[in-house]
């Protein structure tokens, strides 16, 4: 114990040991002491030295400390000391002020000891197990140590936790800890854990993280909260960024609706009550769900939910409020921008928002006033430009409304419009306002041919006494005056966007005799590095004039412009100047994302949408400049021919679509016919059962008649006195027997007709089978089997009925014999003997009447089926004939297209090999179909 007193407190006699020696002795005591108290004191001493002698403690004591974590699990105090010591040697202390070299050495030590600790992945698993301890002195340092490991080697630790059983679940339990310090440090741990790992993000989300975090935010005061709310929001951002699964889960869980109250701050002074940090994190959470880098479907659904729950309305309220700090206002503008980007309903709502001024002004006008005001902060002006771009993105209605404010018929002298602000910014003395206004106006024309033509009508009054000039001409005039590079770049981007894919605008531009000489002069000069970008954009503008030229101006046709380039500039020099645009550093930066983010106003040169236009046009302009007039004529002829053939193909596609509809109807008719056939099969089965019943009744009647004939011979002398009474009944009996004979004859005839009708049905089904093999690629084996089965059953029924007819004829013969006997022996029959015979005959007559009704019903059903089959067969033949004609026409068109493609190859055009392979495959497919049809016809 004297040793520890020397280390911890008193001044021992003799020379003082060095720090490394002391740490070595402490490590020996930790490894060799048998008493827990000795080991605990040694670990406590190492903890006290771990910050001052970080390198020595980390090098000598780490293995001993890990061993303590493994073996002394029963003592929470020694576990806490060991975890604190490991944290001190692994964590980089960010609070102390150090120079760069010292800080770099500290970071290197932290990474070094982290790698040593992670050398055995079981150490991380051990640490996760220790987090289950509820003791504060174990759990809290364990959380801090794991957070430090994640900061130094995030990916490696994430991999171990991901494969550890219940690893993420154990960490999620930290959010439910009642001790705020552990819960708050657990938030920091989860922030590090969820960085850049989609798998862990999903697991955390499905561990009910959204519900828990939103509850904590509500408990801490939502937007009025402090650092805890900030940590929760940052964790939510980690879980949602670039993770469409979690975004959908967040939306489906109605968590977006729970965010709305966080933004209800219109009734109080935001600058005093609302935490800037929390508001910034709140809007960042909104933006991460509607970011342009997300999948379009996920972004669209979140935008819709934000409008429906009123979140967009709350953001617009903050946007139009007074007294909002500039940084919060900038973040809010950027958030509103992405909430409305590409969503028509949100864009329409934003267009209807008015600022609380007198008189009320549209929010768009108020924002544009800030954009063209050079006294506003640079980041705020960039945010307004981004908002305006997002408002016009895929919004032709909004584009039309903006352009309409520039037209003479809609200008209101008593109010400020968006068009007036854009024109004012376009021609102001501030180069940044020039650039922003030019880019904003270009977005009002993006992919909208109608508005490009409408903008040609805009006239500007330059000065008193002079006639007005068009907006197009004024832009070229300012361009030729040699203003700042930023202004000229903005105007050139506007002109390129304006006249691209608009031959009428190209004609208006070329109509000014000064424009083409100015462009060629700019391109041909040897200027400095800053001017090379302007030269490249001038080359792009001149190339657009060639590519979209309709040759309506005789002096500036495509061919004459190319000759001018060849004489004054040179084709190779022209292409080189054009290619400089895409090689510019700022071009690559602007092409990365839609939001204009620039470190300084001087670097604000390229717009994101314009980079797409350059990428689209650079190649086609280069080809157009190198093509000869003959090649262009041939290409035009080929294009016209292809357009004609395309129209023919469209007609054939429509015809095929109609025939597909007819085929579908025929299939439905076949299905209905099959159903009817099944119903007929059921009816015949019922008839068979009824015939069997009649057969049984007939056998019973036959037996009774046999007994009656025997009784007649024994009672001839007893009933002579009743002959006169029953002569009329005997006559009726004869008539009934004759009627039964006629009915049996008629029934036999009807059954023969039914047999022939079934043969006809078999032939019709056979025709349908052959038609389906040739046209649909289908067969009806089940229907054939059913019809054959029906035919065999009906034949069997005919045989049974013939047998019954024979037996009935025998019965009739015996009945006639009885009648003759009664005639010769008038006293042979008595009323008692005739009554059973009359009853049986009456029953037989009723049974046959029912059989006749069932047979008539079956005959009617078969007649209807035969009519439907006949109609179906006619429609199938007509459709087959039309299909053959169509196949012949398509074959002719395929041959013509192949010939045209061969002509294009001869002219040097590149033809997509995939299309050729597809055409070849189609031809082979048609040949195979023809072979299949021939094989099927041979089989038939």
């Amino acid at each position: 114990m004297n040793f520890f007193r020397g280390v911890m407190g008193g001044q021992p006699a003799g020379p003082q040991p060095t720090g490394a020696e002391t740490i070595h002795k402490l490590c020996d005591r930790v490894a060799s002491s048998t008493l827990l108290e000795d080991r605990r004191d040694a670990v406590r001493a190492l903890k006290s030295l771990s910050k001052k002698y970080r390198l020595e403690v980390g090098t000598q004591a780490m293995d001993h400390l890990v061993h303590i974590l493994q073996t002394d699990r029963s003592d929470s105090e020694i576990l806490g000391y060991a975890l604190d010591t490991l944290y001190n040697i692994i964590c980089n202390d960010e609070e102390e002020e150090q120079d760069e070299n010292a800080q770099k050495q500290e970071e290197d030590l932290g990474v070094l000891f982290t790698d040593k600790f992670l050398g055995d992945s079981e150490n991380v698993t051990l640490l996760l197990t220790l987090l289950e301890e509820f003791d504060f002195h174990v759990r809290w340092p364990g959380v801090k140590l794991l957070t430090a490991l994640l900061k130094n080697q995030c990916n490696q630790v994430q991999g171990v936790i991901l494969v550890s059983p219940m690893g993420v679940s154990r960490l999620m339990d930290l959010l439910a800890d009642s001790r705020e310090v552990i819960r708050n440090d657990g938030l920091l741990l989860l922030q590090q854990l969820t960085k850049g790992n989609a798998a862990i993000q999903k697991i955390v989300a499905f561990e009910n993280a959204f519900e828990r975090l939103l509850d904590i935010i509500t408990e801490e005061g939502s937007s009025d909260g402090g650092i805890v709310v900030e940590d929760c929001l940052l964790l939510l951002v980690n879980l949602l960024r670039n993770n469409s699964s979690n975004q959908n889960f967040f939306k489906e869980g109605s968590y977006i609706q729970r965010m709305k109250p966080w933004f209800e701050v219109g009734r109080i002074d935001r600058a005093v009550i609302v935490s800037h940090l929390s508001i910034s994190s709140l809007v960042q959470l909104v933006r991460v769900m509607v970011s342009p880098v997300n999948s379009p479907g996920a972004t669209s659904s979140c935008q819709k939910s934000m409008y429906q729950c009123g979140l967009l309305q709350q953001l617009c309220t903050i946007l139009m409020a007074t007294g909002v700090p500039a940084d919060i206002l900038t973040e809010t503008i950027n958030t509103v921008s992405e909430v409305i980007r590409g969503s028509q309903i949100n864009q329409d709502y934003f267009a209807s928002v008015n600022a609380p001024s007198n008189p009320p002004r549209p929010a768009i006008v108020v924002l544009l006033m800030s954009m063209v005001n050079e006294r506003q902060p640079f980041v705020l002006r960039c945010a307004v430009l981004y908002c305006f771009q997002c408002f016009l993105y895929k919004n032709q209605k909004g584009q039309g409304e903006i352009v309409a404010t520039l037209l003479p018929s809609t200008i209101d002298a008593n109010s400020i419009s968006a068009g007036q602000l854009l024109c004012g910014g376009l021609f102001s003395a501030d180069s940044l306002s020039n650039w922003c206004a030019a880019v904003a106006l270009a977005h009002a024309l993006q992919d909208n041919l109608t508005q490009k033509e409408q903008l040609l009508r805009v006239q500007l009054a330059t000065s008193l006494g002079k006639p007005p000039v068009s907006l197009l001409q004024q832009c070229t005039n300012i361009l030729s005056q040699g203003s700042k590079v930023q202004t000229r770049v903005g105007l050139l981007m506007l002109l390129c966007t304006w006249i691209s894919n608009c031959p009428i605008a190209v004609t208006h531009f070329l109509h000014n005799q000064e424009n083409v000489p100015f462009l060629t002069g700019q391109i041909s000069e040897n200027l400095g590095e800053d001017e090379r970008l302007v030269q490249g954009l001038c080359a792009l503008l001149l190339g657009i004039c060639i590519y979209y030229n309709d040759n309506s101006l005789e002096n500036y046709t495509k061919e004459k412009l190319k000759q001018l380039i060849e004489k004054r500039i040179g084709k190779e020099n022209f292409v080189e100047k054009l290619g400089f645009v895409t090689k510019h550093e700022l071009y690559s930066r602007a092409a990365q994302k839609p939001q204009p983010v620039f470190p300084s106003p001087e670097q604000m040169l390229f717009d994101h949408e314009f980079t797409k236009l350059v990428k689209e046009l650079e190649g086609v302009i280069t080809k157009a400049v190198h093509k000869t007039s003959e090649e262009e004529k041939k290409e035009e002829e080929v294009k016209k021919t292809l357009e004609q053939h395309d129209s023919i193909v469209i007609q054939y596609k429509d015809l095929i679509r109609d025939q597909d509809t007819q085929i579908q109807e025929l299939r439905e008719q076949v299905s209905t016919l099959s159903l009817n056939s099944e119903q007929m099969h059921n009816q015949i089965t019922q008839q068979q059962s009824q015939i069997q019943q009649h057969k049984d009744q007939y056998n019973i009647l036959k037996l009774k008649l046999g007994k009656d004939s025997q009784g007649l011979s024994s009672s001839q002398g007893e009933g002579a006195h009743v002959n006169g009474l029953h002569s009329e009944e005997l006559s009726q009996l004869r008539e009934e027997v004759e009627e039964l004979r006629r009915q049996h004859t008629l029934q036999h005839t009807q059954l023969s007709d039914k047999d022939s009708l079934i043969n006809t049905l078999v032939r019709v089904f056979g025709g349908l089978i052959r038609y389906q093999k040739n046209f649909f690629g289908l067969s009806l084996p089940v229907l054939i089997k059913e019809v054959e089965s029906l035919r065999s059953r009906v034949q069997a029924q005919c045989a049974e009925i013939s047998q019954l007819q024979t037996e009935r004829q025998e019965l009739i013969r015996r009945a006639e014999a009885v009648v003759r006997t009664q005639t010769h022996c008038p006293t042979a029959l008595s009323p008692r003997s005739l009554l059973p015979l009359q009853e049986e005959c009456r029953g037989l007559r009723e049974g046959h009447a029912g059989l006749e009704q069932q047979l008539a019903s079956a005959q009617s059903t078969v007649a209807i089926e035969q009519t439907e089959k006949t109609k179906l067969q006619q429609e199938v033949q007509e459709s087959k004939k039309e299909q053959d004609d169509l196949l012949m026409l398509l074959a002719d068109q395929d041959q013509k297209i192949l010939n045209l493609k061969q002509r294009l190859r001869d002219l040097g055009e590149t033809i997509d090999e995939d299309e050729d392979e597809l055409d070849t495959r189609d031809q082979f497919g048609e040949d195979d179909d023809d072979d299949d049809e021939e094989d099927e016809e041979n089989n038939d």
Side-chain angles (χ1 to χ4, degrees):
M1 297 302 291
N2 291 331
F3 170 75
F4 291 108
R5 294 192 190 96
V7 173
M8 302 299 297
Q11 298 293 332
Q16 293 289 335
T18 63
E21 293 174 348
T22 302
I23 293 170
H24 180 71
K25 293 178 181 179
L26 291 173
C27 291
D28 289 342
R29 182 59 59 91
V30 171
S32 59
S33 296
T34 57
L35 293 177
L36 178 61
E37 293 182 357
D38 291 344
R39 293 197 302 274
R40 185 189 305 129
D41 291 338
V43 175
R44 184 192 300 117
L46 287 173
K47 173 189 172 183
S48 63
L49 297 173
S50 58
K51 288 188 177 181
K52 184 176 181 181
Y53 299 100
R54 182 181 181 189
L55 176 62
E56 292 79 3
V57 174
T59 305
Q60 300 182 40
M62 179 173 289
D63 293 337
H64 300 294
L65 295 172
V66 172
H67 184 70
I68 289 294
L69 298 179
Q70 294 172 345
T71 56
D72 290 331
R73 296 285 299 276
S74 60
D75 186 73
S76 60
E77 189 175 358
I78 193 174
L79 290 178
Y81 292 150
L83 291 171
D84 283 332
T85 306
L86 289 172
Y87 172 74
N88 290 337
I89 62 177
I90 287 176
C91 176
N92 299 315
D93 195 350
E94 299 176 355
E95 295 181 359
E96 296 182 1
E97 295 183 0
Q98 299 175 342
D99 57 18
E100 294 183 359
N101 294 331
Q103 187 175 358
K104 183 67 168 55
Q105 292 177 359
E106 291 287 333
E107 292 176 356
D108 292 341
L109 279 179
V111 174
L112 175 66
F113 292 136
T114 299
D115 291 338
K116 184 176 180 180
F117 185 83
L118 297 177
D120 186 359
S121 61
E122 291 297 325
N123 291 342
V124 178
T125 305
L126 173 63
L127 192 55
L128 292 173
T129 305
L130 291 174
L131 290 179
E132 294 182 349
E133 296 288 339
F134 187 74
D135 191 286
F136 180 82
H137 297 91
V138 177
R139 202 172 208 186
W140 186 39
V143 171
K144 294 193 296 181
L145 175 58
L146 188 56
T147 304
L149 292 172
L150 283 165
K151 287 181 179 180
N152 294 335
Q153 290 291 352
C154 186
N155 293 336
Q156 191 172 353
V157 179
Q158 284 175 337
V160 177
I161 294 176
L162 191 60
V163 299
S164 177
M166 301 296 292
V168 178
S169 299
R170 293 172 181 172
L171 300 180
M172 286 298 300
D173 291 340
L174 298 174
L175 298 182
D177 200 304
S178 58
R179 296 159 294 192
E180 290 190 0
V181 63
I182 294 180
R183 183 200 66 182
N184 297 343
D185 282 350
L187 289 172
L188 299 177
L189 169 60
L190 290 172
Q191 285 182 24
Q192 298 295 328
L193 179 65
T194 55
K195 282 185 177 179
N197 193 307
I200 292 181
Q201 290 169 0
K202 292 179 182 179
I203 296 174
V204 171
F206 283 98
E207 288 283 347
N208 205 23
F210 293 143
E211 186 73 28
R212 295 185 185 183
L213 292 174
L214 265 64
D215 289 343
I216 294 174
I217 291 173
T218 303
E219 293 172 3
E220 295 291 331
S222 301
S223 57
D224 300 336
I227 190 64
V228 177
V229 173
E230 170 72 10
D231 292 337
C232 291
L233 293 173
L234 291 178
L235 178 54
L236 286 172
V237 170
N238 281 355
L239 295 175
L240 295 173
R241 178 178 284 120
N242 300 328
N243 195 318
S244 58
S245 175
N246 283 2
Q247 290 172 7
N248 185 64
F249 182 51
F250 192 85
K251 179 183 70 70
E252 296 296 334
S254 300
Y255 296 117
I256 293 178
Q257 287 82 341
R258 293 182 60 178
M259 294 169 57
K260 180 188 174 184
W262 301 349
F263 296 91
E264 293 178 353
V265 289
R267 62 187 182 277
I268 54 178
D269 186 358
R270 296 166 182 79
V272 177
I273 302 297
V274 178
S275 169
H276 289 202
L277 190 60
S278 295
I279 288 292
S280 178
S281 300
L282 283 174
V283 295
Q284 186 181 3
L285 177 61
V286 176
R287 290 186 65 183
V288 80
M289 290 184 287
V290 292
S291 173
V293 300
N294 295 342
S295 62
T299 300
S300 177
S301 60
C302 289
Q303 288 174 332
K304 183 178 179 181
S305 296
M306 290 177 184
Y307 172 76
Q308 291 176 344
C309 74
L311 181 57
L312 174 59
Q313 292 82 335
Q314 291 297 122
L315 290 171
C316 291
T317 301
I318 298 175
L319 189 67
M320 291 292 101
T322 57
V324 180
D327 55 344
I328 299 299
L329 181 61
T330 302
E331 291 289 340
T332 306
I333 293 174
N334 287 327
T335 304
V336 172
S337 303
E338 295 182 352
V339 173
I340 68 174
R341 187 177 189 269
S343 174
Q344 186 65 55
I345 186 172
N346 291 6
Q347 290 166 340
D348 292 343
Y349 171 77
F350 184 71
S352 66
V353 175
N354 289 322
S357 60
N358 190 16
R361 289 176 178 171
I364 297 174
V365 172
V366 175
L367 292 175
L368 288 178
M369 292 172 67
S370 299
M371 185 186 74
V372 298
N373 186 352
E374 57 184 308
R375 293 191 297 271
Q376 293 292 340
F378 172 65
V379 291
L380 178 62
R381 300 174 73 181
C382 291
V384 173
L385 175 62
Y386 184 47
C387 185
F388 191 75
Q389 293 173 349
C390 292
F391 169 68
L392 297 178
Y393 182 71
K394 294 184 179 180
N395 184 10
Q396 292 193 353
K397 178 183 177 183
Q399 290 175 323
E401 292 173 351
I402 297 298
V403 173
T405 60
L406 288 165
L407 300 179
S409 59
T410 58
I411 293 178
D412 185 3
N414 298 323
S415 63
I416 300 176
S417 66
Q420 293 174 357
L421 290 171
L422 291 177
C423 284
L426 193 63
F427 307 127
S428 71
D430 179 29
S431 61
L432 182 59
S433 297
N434 301 154
W435 191 92
C436 291
V439 170
L441 195 55
H443 277 261
L445 306 175
Q446 195 78 37
D447 300 325
N448 195 325
L449 180 60
T450 302
Q451 302 311 321
K452 291 179 181 180
E453 295 176 355
Q454 287 292 321
L455 200 62
L456 295 173
R457 299 169 48 202
V458 177
Q459 299 291 320
L460 302 176
T462 56
S463 60
L464 293 175
K466 291 185 179 181
V469 297
S470 67
L471 176 61
L472 181 66
Q473 183 58 45
Q474 185 65 15
C475 290
T476 57
N477 291 341
I478 296 176
L479 190 63
S480 62
Q481 291 174 3
S483 53
K484 294 182 180 180
V485 172
Q486 189 176 41
T487 300
R488 285 182 288 163
V489 169
L491 291 173
L492 285 169
M493 288 194 297
L494 171 60
L495 291 173
C496 290
T497 305
W498 191 346
I499 71 173
S500 64
N501 200 24
C502 184
I504 297 178
V506 172
T507 303
H508 278 71
F509 180 80
L510 295 176
H511 189 72
N512 187 347
Q513 301 294 328
E514 299 177 357
N515 289 341
V516 174
F518 168 75
L519 292 178
T520 55
Q522 286 286 315
I523 300 170
S524 59
E525 291 181 2
N526 293 322
L527 303 175
E529 185 70 21
D530 294 338
E531 296 293 332
R532 292 184 63 185
L533 177 59
V534 176
Q535 288 182 317
L537 293 174
C538 289
L540 177 66
L541 182 59
L542 186 57
I544 293 174
C545 293
I546 295 174
Y547 187 72
Y548 292 107
N549 195 333
D550 58 359
N551 296 324
S552 58
L553 294 177
E554 184 178 355
N555 295 332
Y556 294 109
T557 60
K558 287 184 178 181
E559 185 61 27
K560 290 186 177 180
L561 287 176
K562 287 191 291 185
Q563 293 175 1
L564 188 63
I565 290 174
E566 188 172 3
K567 290 179 181 179
R568 297 189 180 181
I569 304 173
K571 291 184 178 180
E572 298 300 328
N573 188 26
F574 177 86
V575 173
E576 181 182 355
K577 296 291 179 64
L578 178 63
F580 180 78
V581 177
T582 56
K583 296 177 183 177
H584 200 279
E585 177 185 359
L586 297 178
Y587 173 91
S588 302
R589 185 181 300 176
Q592 293 176 0
K593 56 182 180 179
Q595 182 180 359
V597 179
F598 302 96
S600 64
E602 293 76 16
Q603 297 185 9
M604 200 170 186
L605 292 179
F606 283 104
D607 173 57
H608 177 76
E609 292 297 327
F610 181 74
T611 60
K612 295 181 180 180
L613 180 66
V614 175
K615 184 177 180 181
E616 176 186 350
L617 293 178
E618 182 182 9
V620 295
I621 289 175
T622 302
K623 289 183 179 180
V625 170
H626 285 289
K627 282 181 182 177
T628 62
S629 58
E630 295 180 356
E631 291 176 346
E632 287 188 354
K633 289 180 181 179
K634 291 181 180 179
E635 185 177 352
E636 290 295 332
E637 292 177 358
V638 172
K639 285 183 178 179
K640 291 180 180 179
T641 308
L642 288 175
E643 289 176 358
Q644 294 175 358
H645 285 290
D646 288 342
S647 63
I648 295 174
V649 170
I650 290 173
Q651 294 177 1
Y652 286 150
K653 286 182 179 179
D654 293 338
L655 179 59
I656 291 174
R657 192 177 295 108
D658 295 339
Q659 290 191 345
D660 287 340
T661 303
Q662 296 177 2
I663 290 171
Q664 184 64 30
E665 292 176 355
L666 291 175
R667 287 178 175 173
E668 292 177 357
Q669 292 180 9
V670 169
S671 176
T672 304
L673 196 59
S674 302
L675 181 61
N676 294 338
S677 177
E678 182 178 357
Q679 293 175 354
M680 191 176 86
H681 170 72
N682 295 334
Q683 290 177 0
I684 293 177
T685 303
Q686 294 175 0
Q687 291 177 0
Q688 184 179 6
S689 175
Q690 293 175 356
I691 289 174
Q692 182 63 36
Q693 293 177 2
H694 288 304
K695 181 178 179 182
D696 296 339
Q697 293 175 1
Y698 179 75
N699 290 332
I700 295 172
L701 178 61
K702 183 171 67 173
L703 293 174
K704 289 183 179 181
L705 287 175
K707 294 179 180 179
D708 292 339
S709 61
Q710 292 177 1
L712 287 174
S713 58
S714 61
S715 58
Q716 288 180 354
E718 297 178 359
H721 62 281
V722 296
N723 181 38
L725 296 175
H726 301 290
S727 59
E728 294 180 358
E729 294 179 358
L730 289 174
S731 299
Q732 292 178 357
L733 183 59
R734 286 195 196 92
E735 292 176 357
E736 289 176 358
V737 171
E738 290 295 332
E739 181 65 25
L740 286 174
R741 183 181 299 170
R742 287 194 300 272
Q743 289 177 358
H744 281 295
T745 304
L746 179 60
Q747 189 177 34
H748 180 71
T749 305
Q750 290 175 346
L751 288 175
S752 299
D753 295 339
K754 184 176 180 182
D755 184 53
S756 62
L757 181 58
I758 289 176
N759 290 331
T760 304
L761 278 173
V762 171
R763 289 194 299 273
V764 171
F765 275 117
L768 280 174
I769 292 169
R770 289 192 297 274
Y771 169 71
Q772 286 194 340
K773 285 182 178 179
N774 294 332
F775 196 68
F776 296 114
L778 302 171
S779 62
L780 296 172
V782 177
L783 288 176
I784 274 201
K785 291 180 179 179
E786 289 183 357
V787 172
E788 291 295 338
S789 175
L790 292 175
R791 182 177 181 182
S792 61
R793 290 182 180 179
V794 171
Q795 289 177 352
Q797 291 175 4
C798 291
E800 291 178 359
I801 292 175
S802 299
Q803 183 179 358
L804 289 174
Q805 185 177 9
T806 303
E807 293 176 353
R808 287 177 179 174
Q809 289 176 354
E810 178 66 20
L811 178 60
I812 291 170
R813 185 184 62 78
R814 293 175 61 185
E816 289 177 347
V818 171
V819 171
R820 286 194 298 271
T821 303
Q822 196 268 343
T823 303
H824 294 293
C825 303
T827 61
L829 293 175
S830 66
R832 184 177 299 174
S833 62
L834 286 174
L835 284 175
L837 182 61
Q838 290 176 350
E839 292 295 333
E840 295 296 334
C841 287
R842 187 177 299 107
L844 183 62
R845 185 166 58 251
E846 292 176 354
H848 280 289
L851 181 62
E852 184 178 3
Q853 292 178 356
Q854 294 173 359
L855 187 61
S857 176
Q859 185 177 4
S860 174
T861 302
V862 171
I864 294 172
E865 295 294 333
Q866 184 180 13
T867 303
E868 292 181 356
K869 295 291 184 180
T870 304
K871 291 180 180 179
L872 180 60
Q873 189 174 14
Q874 292 175 356
E875 292 176 356
V876 167
Q877 293 297 329
E878 292 175 359
S879 180
K880 182 177 180 183
K881 183 178 178 182
E882 292 178 358
Q883 187 72 14
D884 293 337
D885 296 340
L886 178 60
L887 290 174
M888 292 177 65
L889 291 173
L890 288 176
D892 294 340
Q893 292 303 317
D894 288 340
Q895 187 60 40
K896 289 180 181 179
I897 291 174
L898 289 174
N899 294 336
L900 289 172
K901 287 183 177 179
Q902 187 60 41
R903 289 178 61 188
L904 285 174
R905 291 193 186 93
D906 296 338
L907 293 173
E909 291 293 331
T910 302
I911 304 299
D912 192 355
E913 294 181 359
D914 294 338
E915 295 181 359
D916 292 343
E917 292 178 359
L918 182 58
D919 295 338
T920 306
R921 195 179 301 114
D922 292 340
Q923 292 178 359
F924 287 146
E926 293 176 359
D927 296 340
D928 294 341
D929 293 341
D930 295 339
D931 294 340
D932 294 340
E933 291 177 0
E934 292 178 1
D935 294 340
E936 291 174 357
E937 290 177 358
N938 294 334
N939 293 334
D940 293 340

